Amino acid sequence: MRRPPSRSPLKVMIIALLASTCASPVLAEPLNRADRAEALDMLVRRLDHYVLTERKPDILARLASERDTLLTLDDDEAFRSAVNRVLLETSRDKHLQLWRERPRPDGEGPSSPPTPEQVTEMEARDRFGLADVRQLNGDIAYVNLTRFSGHPGVAGAIDSALAEVAGARGLILDLRMNGGGGEAALNHLMGHLVPAPVELATLYHRQCAPPPAERPDACEQLPERAVQRRWSNAVVRPTFPTQPIYVLTSSATFSAAEELAYDLRAEGRATIVGETTGGGANPSGMMDAGPNFSVIMPLAEARHPRTGGAWEGVGVRPDVAVPADRALQTAVRLAAGLTSAPLSPPATPVR
């Protein structure tokens, strides 16, 4: 009997980020038909937790109708991709995905999770996702943020990075390759971009009735939602409280990165330049789908208190629509109106 795979907090974060960019994890040894059948059965049970309950019947019906076809796929990645195609076509939810795990070899004990110090060190290696911070001709700040860290140390990293470009007359914030992540970066960055704490998207979490003894993992969802109201951080000296902001987006911009663009637009604080974003608003968690697979499961709905809507399924549409690989040059031209000299964009790869 295979043991369930262990997951460190860092691995959970990495898998969640990969899901938002549609990357594929490294696969373990191929499984047999019984293993894949077990994964489908567990996936069906886990869908009890899916926050968009009205979509569950269609998902279950489609999985049932294609079950035999799915189980004939003897390649694990082909199986996973086919299941995810069914999930996406029936739910229209890019967060809802099945992932292949790497089980531990027989006899190998559980790995120890990283210590807080190790997690901090790993986060700091890429400066908490702050891939590039510079000034263009001394007038316009450019910040390329490739992920949203949930680590509390990200606040200090953001403070330090923005201090490097303090005094710039405008900001270009590059989120084209940002697949989302944690709230800590979102809340603190918003505190630097809006002059006072503002309310962000409200989260409506699904709630479960007490599960029966024979189904400890079950969820009979209650009609009431647990409401979580959220605000941006109070920053003593915001770096860009009133200056013009240009946010660069692509179809790969997802989840928390989309929320930043959406929240800034709701506050009238940014011009969005690039492509419509991926359209994943609903917060998710990772659950086991048997010992060999995991499922990213949306557990709450997001709705912005100012607009009454969100970006789930539709994305954030740009104010200035251009291909992603031209978004930076376009934003530079827009920002050039704030300066007395033309700007030269940094050489930053997009794809």
Side-chain angles (χ1 to χ4, degrees), residues 239-259:
T239 309
F240 295 97
T242 59
Q243 299 95 316
I245 299 170
Y246 302 90
V247 178
L248 310 186
T249 60
S250 76
S251 59
T253 306
F254 198 68
S255 196
E258 297 179 272
E259 174 163 8

Side-chain angles (χ1 to χ4, degrees), residues 91-106:
S91 71
R92 306 176 301 283
D93 189 332
K94 293 181 181 179
H95 270 123
L96 180 62
Q97 292 193 35
L98 189 70
W99 288 92
R100 174 74 163 94
E101 282 291 343
R102 182 185 290 280
R104 294 191 303 271
D106 290 340

Side-chain angles (χ1 to χ4, degrees), residues 5 7 12 15-16 19 39-50 59 63 80 83-84 87 91 93-101 217 284-299:
R7 299 184 183 87
V12 171
I15 290 178
L40 286 179
D41 292 340
M42 182 58 79
L43 173 61
V44 166
R45 292 173 63 177
R46 289 302 192 194
L47 285 167
D48 285 354
H49 296 265
Y50 186 37
I59 300 172
L63 286 173
R80 187 187 76 88
V83 171
N84 285 340
L87 294 176
S91 71
D93 189 332
K94 293 181 181 179
H95 270 123
L96 180 62
Q97 292 193 35
L98 189 70
W99 288 92
R100 174 74 163 94
E101 282 291 343
D217 61 344
S284 306
M286 189 171 70
M287 297 180 170
D288 288 326
N292 302 294
F293 291 87
S294 295
V295 58
I296 306 297
M297 183 63 65
L299 302 173

Side-chain angles (χ1 to χ4, degrees), residues 282-345:
N282 294 340
S284 306
M286 189 171 70
M287 297 180 170
D288 288 326
N292 302 294
F293 291 87
S294 295
V295 58
I296 306 297
M297 183 63 65
L299 302 173
E301 293 183 79
R303 189 159 65 246
H304 199 282
R306 184 183 294 273
T307 68
W311 57 100
E312 175 65 30
V314 296
V316 179
R317 295 183 181 275
D319 300 301
V320 181
V322 295
D325 58 3
R326 288 170 43 201
L328 178 55
Q329 291 82 352
T330 301
V332 165
R333 288 197 296 270
L334 293 171
L338 303 175
T339 67
S340 58
L343 300 176
S344 299

Side-chain angles (χ1 to χ4, degrees), residues 8 42 142 236 291:
S8 69
M42 182 58 79
Y142 173 81
V236 176

Side-chain angles (χ1 to χ4, degrees), residues 171-251:
L171 169 66
I172 295 176
L173 181 59
D174 194 342
L175 302 179
R176 288 175 292 175
M177 296 303 294
N178 193 314
E183 282 193 19
L186 168 69
N187 296 348
H188 200 69
L189 191 53
M190 276 292 294
H192 274 282
L193 306 181
V194 183
V198 294
E199 190 165 8
L200 310 179
T202 301
L203 304 182
Y204 297 85
H205 296 266
R206 67 93 174 89
Q207 296 191 89
C208 299
E214 69 276 9
R215 280 287 310 278
D217 61 344
C219 177
E220 180 183 348
Q221 291 196 37
L222 301 173
E224 302 84 12
R225 298 294 196 215
V227 179
Q228 180 187 358
R229 298 179 66 187
R230 303 149 67 233
W231 283 264
S232 60
N233 288 3
V235 175
V236 176
R237 292 182 179 85
T239 309
F240 295 97
T242 59
Q243 299 95 316
I245 299 170
Y246 302 90
V247 178
L248 310 186
T249 60
S250 76
S251 59

